[in-house]
């Protein structure tokens, strides 16, 4: 699954630079994650880096976007090949 940022986000700016796929960007009110670029850090790290640094724990899995680890790896390969 791609990750999502909930409205508990405090705009602390720590998640954006941690994303190896540049999937996180400032939104209108809170940071947002581009699901087309989010691989949950599969291919880069063992755990999603944005979740590791988030001080308010507002980055859960997006239930609207179920993906297997294999699908996330395929997405990673496409993103890094470009």
């Amino acid at each position: 699954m791609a990750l999502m940022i909930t409205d508990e986000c405090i705009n602390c700016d720590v998640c954006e630079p941690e994303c190896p796929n540049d999937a996180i960007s400032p939104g209108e009110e809170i940071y947002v994650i581009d699901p087309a670029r989010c691989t949950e850090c599969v291919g880069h790290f063992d755990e999603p880096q944005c979740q590791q640094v988030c001080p308010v724990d507002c980055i859960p899995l997006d239930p609207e976007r179920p993906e297997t680890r294999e699908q996330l790896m395929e997405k990673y390969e496409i993103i890094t090949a470009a």
Side-chain angles (χ1 to χ4, degrees):
M1 294 185 182
L3 298 168
M4 60 184 278
I5 297 176
T6 66
D7 59 3
E8 284 116 14
C9 176
I10 59 171
N11 289 309
C12 66
D13 303 322
V14 298
C15 62
E16 184 182 18
E18 295 300 318
C19 181
N21 296 323
D22 297 322
I24 301 174
S25 61
E28 274 188 43
E29 295 182 25
I30 61 173
Y31 276 83
V32 295
I33 296 178
D34 178 352
R37 297 197 62 82
C38 178
T39 64
E40 296 178 46
C41 290
V42 168
H44 295 283
F45 301 101
D46 292 333
E47 296 182 27
Q49 298 301 288
C50 59
Q51 286 180 330
Q52 299 300 308
V53 298
C54 181
V56 293
D57 196 27
C58 69
I59 309 176
L61 291 172
D62 185 346
E64 302 284 319
R65 303 185 183 283
E67 293 175 290
T68 65
R69 187 158 182 87
E70 291 78 23
Q71 289 171 314
L72 292 169
M73 183 56 86
E74 287 175 20
K75 192 189 314 185
Y76 159 79
E77 290 170 356
I78 291 168
I79 291 168
T80 58

